[in-house]
Amino acid sequence: MSSAEQRTQMSNGAGFIAALDQSGGSTPKALALYGVDASEYSSDEEMFGEIQKMRARIILADDFTKDKVIGAILFERTLGEQIDGQKVADYLWSVKGIVPFLKIDKGLEDEANGVQMMKPIPGLAATLAKADGVFGTKERSVIHEANAEGIAAVVAQQFDVAREVVASGMVPIVEPEVNINSATKAEAEDILKAEILKNLDQLADGQDIMLKLTIPNQANLYDELADHPRVLRVVALSGGYSTQQACDLLGQNGKMIASFSRALTEGLSKKQSDAEFNAALGGNIDKIFRASS
């Protein structure tokens, strides 16, 4: 299958995107929830080894197929890992029929103007050039309050990176997350939508992107973004909501599908038998798929 088929799957496929891109900052927390204590690894190498085992267990699970999971976001180190003797991105697409994406941001700057911008991404062109078999990227910023100047800066930075990704032949997932605990969440979302629309209108034909957004307070707020000719898909992040909460809220937004990380892995444990693990993961996948349909 070709990237044309990957593109069709991302534009129209029924299902959701699994976010398997836990990085250095989020890995210890993800491992703790999975039942791996920090005392069980003594270096970054061992820590990343543990999270890779968790990712491989998820990817190899019977329910983790394109029937419900249409894409998966990977951490950069994961591109060098293998599953059953194949590079992870190749395995996802050729065996599971799942479109691979790559997280490219290097974390967040300190908060200023109510937002956290992305840190610089050194060597981005080289990273994109060697991302064999990867359809697109994902890059995250965070908005903490309804500060118009801060939100405009976040969106402008996101679109600058998005243009570079598009120029490399890939599709960027632009992710300006709004903190679910923000006291001005609804106002921030209105400002964010207006800024995204402004930037979308400046893209040329063929400069197509995806959007990954916090589930909005006002149901269907982002329908206009989903209908924009430059947008392949609008996906939702779980943002700290429980799986059930995230699915309930997502179900109210007809033009968003899920791209959940923590909500996907909720209730999974290293200590579970394969049957228990697969049942728990399968239950999460079903819930998230239904909410995305």
Side-chain angles (χ1 to χ4, degrees):
M1 292 174 90
S2 69
S3 64
E5 278 154 302
Q6 291 181 333
R7 189 185 177 88
T8 300
Q9 183 159 311
M10 292 325 304
S11 303
N12 309 318
F16 66 94
I17 299 175
L20 303 177
D21 57 328
Q22 298 86 0
S23 57
S26 54
T27 293
K29 192 174 172 188
L31 282 174
L33 290 169
Y34 184 54
V36 178
D37 189 75
S39 63
E40 294 179 53
Y41 49 86
S42 56
S43 66
D44 279 0
E45 211 55 44
E46 289 178 11
M47 175 183 79
F48 285 122
E50 288 289 349
I51 200 80
Q52 175 55 21
K53 285 181 205 160
M54 180 182 104
R55 286 192 188 107
R57 200 178 183 193
I58 290 169
I59 291 168
L60 288 165
D62 291 344
D63 287 327
F64 197 83
T65 69
K66 68 173 181 181
D67 295 336
K68 291 177 181 166
V69 184
I70 58 173
I73 305 167
L74 305 173
F75 179 46
E76 197 174 337
R77 283 181 72 112
T78 313
L79 291 189
E81 306 278 358
Q82 296 195 337
I83 293 179
D84 284 358
Q86 274 183 275
K87 286 189 170 176
V88 176
D90 294 337
Y91 183 89
L92 275 171
W93 182 240
S94 63
V95 178
K96 292 280 185 161
I98 293 169
V99 177
F101 289 82
L102 173 65
K103 168 191 157 72
I104 56 169
D105 67 82
K106 300 297 182 188
L108 301 168
E109 299 279 17
D110 292 338
E111 187 176 336
N113 280 342
V115 302
Q116 286 179 277
M117 304 278 284
M118 290 183 282
K119 286 181 175 170
I121 310 174
L124 177 57
T127 299
L128 297 174
K130 67 171 194 264
D132 291 340
V134 175
F135 175 75
T137 64
K138 190 212 78 163
E139 40 276 4
R140 171 178 173 262
S141 328
V142 178
I143 295 162
H144 296 285
E145 54 188 66
N147 179 311
E149 188 184 339
I151 293 171
V154 156
V155 176
Q157 183 191 38
Q158 281 278 356
F159 274 76
D160 282 345
V161 173
R163 283 185 180 86
E164 189 170 347
V165 172
V166 168
S168 78
M170 297 163 80
V171 175
I173 301 178
V174 167
E175 183 184 11
E177 173 180 347
V178 178
N179 183 337
I180 63 168
N181 299 311
S182 169
T184 52
K185 181 173 179 281
E187 298 91 326
E189 287 166 345
D190 286 336
I191 298 168
L192 176 62
K193 178 186 171 184
E195 282 298 325
I196 291 174
L197 277 171
K198 192 168 82 184
N199 280 268
L200 283 172
D201 288 341
Q202 292 165 11
L203 294 177
D205 282 358
Q207 288 186 310
D208 296 342
I209 69 163
M210 294 170 61
L211 292 162
K212 181 166 176 171
L213 304 171
T214 306
I215 304 167
N217 279 23
Q218 182 193 327
N220 299 312
L221 177 70
Y222 296 133
D223 281 6
E224 194 179 348
L225 302 181
D227 291 337
H228 195 283
R230 297 281 67 78
V231 176
L232 284 191
R233 207 79 184 248
V234 179
V235 305
L237 56 102
S238 50
Y241 291 124
S242 70
T243 308
Q244 192 59 56
Q245 268 180 307
C247 288
D248 288 346
L249 291 167
L250 178 61
Q252 298 166 25
N253 290 270
K255 294 187 177 181
M256 293 179 92
I257 63 168
S259 175
F260 294 170
S261 172
R262 204 201 39 73
L264 173 66
T265 58
E266 184 176 282
L268 303 183
S269 168
K270 181 182 179 178
K271 295 161 185 69
Q272 288 166 330
S273 68
D274 284 346
E276 291 166 337
F277 178 91
N278 291 343
L281 178 65
N284 288 349
I285 286 173
D286 282 345
K287 251 186 221 166
I288 298 167
F289 175 76
R290 283 198 304 273
S292 296
S293 300

